[in-house]
Amino acid sequence: MACRRGVLIVLEGVDKAGKTTQCKKLVQALQESGHRAEMMRFPDRTTRIGLLISSYLEKKSQLEDHTVHLLFSANRWELVPLIKQKLDQGITLVVDRYAFSGVAFTSAKPGFSLAWCKQPDVGLPKPDLVLFLQINPALAAQRGEFGTERYETNAFQNKVQQNFEQLRQDPSVNWKEIDAGRSIEEVHMNIKMLCESAINLAKNLPIGELWK
Ligand code: ADP
Ligand code: 2DT
């Protein structure tokens, strides 16, 4: 039997919606049911570009707003060869944040349009499924104190949430909304079911190009 490609699954949502928790559980569940699956996250802070981003997020350095937006995008593009290689090998990738966070966060800054923010990420591998973990940012904030990184304030997260709402109007992306206010296990079961069907549907189709 020909080796079918892996499927590109992205989890998005405001801080503390539960993305990292659910990515880990999903990878484990997929592996247990016989799929090859791995987790990735953006920003990937381990590359040279990622180190610049990490220092900026930790407020150890300043970067001009357009510049850091382009670095976040470059951080995705530099990993595209690896993403394609893994998908070709039949490995399903579960990705914690992608271009949607890129657009939602930068466009929460004054003077940035959604259209401008999307441009550098046009043509990235298009996720087969984008799971939006929907939660009121005020409820998510109750899951723990904000850290000290950039963007970790209620006012900023509210703007990010509104920008996600706009991005989710785009029918060219396969968005699925998940009620992330439920227990970790309930959310997981919901996500697992959606992913199993996405894997069955997508594995015979070529990977698309985002926003193109
Ligand atoms: P994100 O990656 O979206 O920022 P995390 O997965 O890191 O979110 O979760 C943030 C915090 O909330 C963690 O302490 C985690 O254990 C907790 N958490 C995650 N999902 C839930 C949930 N469904 N209900 C209650 N707490 C949760
Ligand atoms: P975490 O490492 O805790 O997820 O925080 N961000 C992320 C952007 O501004 N642009 C992007 O393209 C991406 C992927 C979201 C990372 C922080 O960086 C923000 C929170």
Side-chain angles (χ1 to χ4, degrees), residues 12 33 35 41 56 58 63 70 74-75 93 97 101 108 116 123 125 129 134 141 150 160 166 169 182 185 201:
E12 285 284 10
S33 55
H35 297 286
R41 65 178 312 133
Y56 169 82
E58 291 170 12
L63 286 166
L70 296 174
N75 184 230
L93 295 175
R97 298 191 191 275
S101 275
W116 188 90
L129 176 64
Q134 175 71 277
R150 260 178 230 273
V160 169
Q166 287 199 54
Q169 306 303 313
R182 296 170 293 169
E185 207 51 41
L201 281 174

Side-chain angles (χ1 to χ4, degrees), residues 11-24 39 41 96-97 133 135 140 142-144 152 179-188:
L11 274 76
E12 285 284 10
V14 292
D15 282 23
K16 296 187 239 173
K19 298 178 296 299
T20 305
T21 305
Q22 293 298 333
C23 281
K24 288 181 181 162
M39 180 170 164
R41 65 178 312 133
D96 189 343
R97 298 191 191 275
L133 271 57
I135 189 163
Q142 287 173 10
R143 289 180 173 172
E152 293 184 342
D179 173 2
R182 296 170 293 169
S183 73
I184 290 177
E185 207 51 41
E186 282 173 304
V187 175
H188 170 63

Side-chain angles (χ1 to χ4, degrees), residues 41 45 59 65 77 89 93 102 116 128-129 169 204:
R41 65 178 312 133
R45 302 186 191 217
K59 299 183 188 162
D65 287 331
W77 280 108
Q89 288 170 351
L93 295 175
W116 188 90
D128 297 293
L129 176 64
Q169 306 303 313
N204 296 314

Side-chain angles (χ1 to χ4, degrees), residues 108-127:
K109 296 177 176 179
F112 284 87
S113 69
L114 234 50
W116 188 90
C117 292
K118 283 165 85 170
Q119 211 53 43
D121 285 312
V122 169
L124 279 177
K126 181 172 164 176

